[in-house]
Amino acid sequence: MKYTSIFYKLRDKPPGQMLKIIYYAFIHSHVLYGVEIYANTKSTYLDKLMKLNNKLLRIPQCKPITTPIRELYTTYNILLITDLHKQQLLIFVHKFIYHPELLLPEIFINNKLFTINDEIYKYNTRIKSNIHLCQSTTSADQ
């Protein structure tokens, strides 16, 4: 990625806070875009992106390769890609349930992506307002 060499050239010039802003503008915005989709892939496919992101976090912080990954993310106050994926999925589901007409494209509103338990079960239960979770009995390796 072209940003690796840019970060190496920049890391000694602007102050640390400016490097953090540059990271958020150029790297984190790309990672955040579509993480709900591409983080659903096999972990081996996602590994390359995570390693690159770790490297791009390490460069502006001038940390050695032995620095724990959690420390890199904590310093910039961001989530690991796997945790970011979970957060974005939760935000998506929240938007779908509570604000579909305001925050989601029309294609998501017209298609029934989620089913509420109340639509499946005709009797009154404590979980009738929860999203129905379909369980698969088979598994497939991608």
Side-chain angles (χ1 to χ4, degrees):
M1 180 177 235
K2 63 182 176 185
Y3 293 113
T4 307
S5 60
I6 293 171
F7 269 71
Y8 273 122
K9 291 173 185 170
L10 280 179
R11 73 175 170 180
D12 297 327
K13 309 264 187 287
Q17 190 62 24
M18 183 63 72
L19 289 171
K20 182 177 179 180
I21 292 170
I22 293 170
Y23 171 82
Y24 270 96
F26 292 105
I27 308 302
H28 192 68
S29 60
H30 286 351
V31 171
L32 193 59
Y33 178 76
V35 72
E36 303 93 344
I37 305 300
Y38 63 75
N40 271 328
T41 187
K42 212 172 178 184
S43 60
T44 53
Y45 300 144
L46 194 59
D47 190 50
K48 186 176 180 181
L49 176 66
M50 288 190 292
K51 286 180 180 176
L52 180 60
N53 193 49
N54 296 344
K55 184 177 187 176
L56 289 168
L57 279 169
R58 190 174 285 115
I59 295 169
Q61 295 179 39
C62 298
K63 301 283 185 176
I65 199 160
T66 56
T67 305
I69 301 298
R70 288 267 178 205
E71 184 181 321
L72 296 172
Y73 284 84
T74 304
T75 304
Y76 273 22
N77 197 24
I78 56 175
L79 295 171
L80 291 162
I81 292 179
T82 52
D83 295 335
L84 187 64
H85 172 240
K86 291 174 190 173
Q87 179 193 37
Q88 291 302 108
L89 283 178
L90 290 171
I91 290 170
F92 176 79
V93 172
H94 182 269
K95 287 178 184 179
F96 185 86
I97 292 172
Y98 296 107
H99 308 286
E101 69 288 343
L102 299 175
L103 301 170
L104 290 175
E106 193 173 320
I107 192 166
F108 291 118
I109 299 168
N110 294 337
N111 294 335
K112 287 295 278 178
L113 293 179
F114 303 107
T115 306
I116 308 299
N117 280 335
D118 194 28
E119 297 172 14
I120 295 176
Y121 304 116
K122 300 302 176 198
Y123 46 87
N124 210 4
T125 66
R126 287 178 289 173
I127 60 169
K128 72 177 185 176
S129 61
N130 291 0
I131 294 175
H132 182 72
L133 300 175
C134 298
Q135 295 190 354
S136 176
T137 55
T138 61
S139 64
D141 191 35
Q142 295 178 351

